[in-house]
Amino acid sequence: ETGVTQTPRHLVMGMTNKKSLKCEQHLGHNAMYWYKQSAKKPLELMFVYNFKEQTENNSVPSRFSPECPNSSHLFLHLHTLQPEDSALYLCASSQAVEGPYNEQFFGPGTRLTVL
Amino acid sequence: GQNIDQPTEMTATEGAIVQINCTYQTSGFNGLFWYQQHAGEAPTFLSYNVLDGLEEKGRFSSFLSRSKGYSYLLLKELQMKDSASYLCAVMDSNYQLIWGAGTKLIIKP
């Protein structure tokens, strides 16, 4: 257990569905992240939140919509996804966004399949 | 552009030693991380290097040479549970982590 939980662990959805991924951290951290992990590719940073404020949006398509109501919770709302969006979506948290030795703690991920 | 290179896959024998290399080219440097990721699980932190040299932590050691843009993770006395992917990541000048694609390590009896 890393102190970061994600639900659901697995999700299958059609291209016209709307779904949400949830992440919660119990570590008292101030920064939260969404990553996309595809097979044999580097982790792709999608969004960064620092004290509930979005600080990074790495050119992510608008069909992915993040929400951070407080420093402990992070959501990723999904709509009209494409099959190429199938991947493992990882949530992470860290004490801060900036500063050295900023270890990130990861959740187990949501395995998303888009049909 | 920024780039992290590490081998795609390596195989080693239980009880042996294996070295996983990582080379990087990034905009600035604020440290290098190694993470372990078992299949279907979260990546977990193994080590952090920001100064040149070797950091030892039990059976695992990590080495950094900033002038060469090079690091390695050394795993000794390999156990079957060490079968996993090992991810190298560099923190750039903006404190953003740049990730390698990971090295899948297969341990054989």
Side-chain angles (χ1 to χ4, degrees):
Chain A
E1 286 294 327
T2 61
V4 181
T5 58
Q6 289 187 244
T7 55
R9 292 294 309 274
H10 300 272
L11 178 62
V12 179
M13 58 188 290
M15 289 191 284
T16 57
N17 292 157
K18 288 184 180 181
K19 297 287 184 183
S20 295
L21 310 185
K22 179 182 176 182
C23 174
E24 184 174 357
Q25 58 96 359
H26 311 273
L27 302 168
H29 287 165
N30 299 310
M32 296 189 77
Y33 310 79
W34 278 118
Y35 285 94
K36 177 183 179 182
Q37 187 176 36
S38 303
K40 300 185 179 180
K41 289 185 178 180
L43 285 174
E44 297 174 45
L45 180 64
M46 300 174 72
F47 302 103
V48 181
Y49 278 82
N50 189 30
F51 290 97
K52 304 188 302 176
E53 299 298 319
Q54 186 174 312
T55 58
E56 289 283 341
N57 176 342
N58 281 2
S59 304
V60 179
S62 59
R63 57 186 184 267
F64 295 92
S65 175
E67 178 190 0
C68 188
N70 54 61
S71 293
S72 298
H73 294 85
L74 186 63
F75 295 89
L76 188 62
H77 304 299
L78 316 171
H79 66 97
T80 59
L81 294 190
Q82 304 298 311
E84 59 265 29
D85 296 323
S86 298
L88 181 68
Y89 288 84
L90 290 165
C91 173
S93 71
S94 65
Q95 185 58 50
V97 170
E98 295 188 354
Y101 198 71
N102 204 12
E103 178 189 346
Q104 293 183 14
F105 293 77
F106 285 83
T110 296
R111 174 66 62 185
L112 173 66
T113 303
V114 181
L115 301 176
Chain B
Q2 307 201 90
N3 193 51
I4 310 285
D5 283 317
Q6 50 181 132
T8 303
E9 187 174 298
M10 299 182 71
T11 303
T13 304
E14 190 176 14
I17 299 172
V18 71
Q19 178 175 310
I20 302 173
N21 296 325
C22 172
T23 58
Y24 62 90
Q25 291 176 309
T26 57
S27 303
F29 181 83
N30 276 304
L32 184 144
F33 294 80
W34 283 97
Y35 279 80
Q36 180 191 59
Q37 186 179 23
H38 285 100
E41 297 183 13
T44 54
F45 171 79
L46 287 178
S47 67
Y48 173 75
N49 294 69
V50 67
L51 299 176
D52 289 350
L54 188 67
E55 295 278 344
E56 297 187 76
K57 194 184 292 186
R59 294 188 298 114
F60 292 9
S61 303
S62 56
F63 172 84
L64 175 67
S65 169
R66 289 171 296 171
S67 62
K68 295 182 179 179
Y70 168 69
S71 172
Y72 67 73
L73 180 69
L74 191 71
L75 292 76
K76 302 177 184 176
E77 302 169 16
L78 286 170
Q79 302 175 8
M80 297 303 293
K81 67 178 182 179
D82 298 329
S83 292
S85 288
Y86 292 85
L87 311 180
C88 174
V90 173
M91 185 168 280
D92 69 9
S93 56
N94 294 320
Y95 298 105
Q96 187 166 124
L97 280 179
I98 311 302
W99 294 84
T103 299
K104 182 178 180 180
L105 178 62
I106 300 168
I107 309 296
K108 295 185 174 179

